Amino acid sequence: MATDPVTSANLGEKVFEAAKSSFGKKFSSIKHFLKGESEKLAITLRMIIEASASGDISKAEAKILLNQQKVAATAVLTAAEGMTAAAVQAAINAALQAVKDFVNGKAGFRLL
């Protein structure tokens, strides 16, 4: 549900649901790609949170890792069914906005 809190367990689903609404009519043609990319993004966010908390990566490295995953997701979704880069970027931004407070709180710094 939209009112459920974001947790580590449902992070991918929150990302997926937030991005889904951005695609409108084109959603049905890219939903399988979006599901996979949402989970990859969630896995990356979880890894960043854990590595940041343990001191294995710096804030700068965390931001670089996040950016790399965003670029990868953009490439996959743009290629899927001829999506435009602007539409894909809007979906990724909506997805990250939906989990921003949770991720930033867990990371202990402003990642998103």
Side-chain angles (χ1 to χ4, degrees), residues 39 55 76 90 100 108:
E39 193 53 41
V76 169
K100 176 181 161 185

Side-chain angles (χ1 to χ4, degrees), residues 67-86:
N67 190 55
Q68 288 174 331
Q69 187 59 51
K70 286 170 49 178
V71 168
T74 299
V76 169
L77 295 173
T78 301
E81 298 298 321
M83 295 299 299
T84 67

Side-chain angles (χ1 to χ4, degrees), residues 19-77:
K20 174 182 172 180
S21 63
S22 295
F23 283 109
K25 294 177 184 177
K26 291 193 174 202
F27 171 72
S28 63
S29 64
I30 58 97
K31 80 175 171 183
H32 296 293
F33 296 101
L34 181 60
K35 187 70 172 169
E37 292 307 308
S38 295
E39 193 53 41
K40 289 177 195 173
L41 186 55
I43 290 167
T44 298
L45 290 169
R46 289 181 198 123
M47 289 171 38
I48 289 170
I49 289 167
E50 291 170 8
S52 295
S54 67
D56 290 337
I57 62 172
S58 67
K59 290 178 186 179
E61 289 169 322
K63 291 179 181 193
I64 290 168
L65 290 169
L66 174 61
N67 190 55
Q68 288 174 331
Q69 187 59 51
K70 286 170 49 178
V71 168
T74 299
V76 169
L77 295 173

Side-chain angles (χ1 to χ4, degrees), residues 1 3-17 39 42 46 99 102:
M1 274 190 131
T3 58
D4 292 343
V6 178
T7 65
S8 291
N10 70 5
L11 190 59
E13 191 60 33
K14 291 289 185 182
V15 167
F16 175 78
E17 289 299 322
E39 193 53 41
R46 289 181 198 123
V99 298
F102 173 80

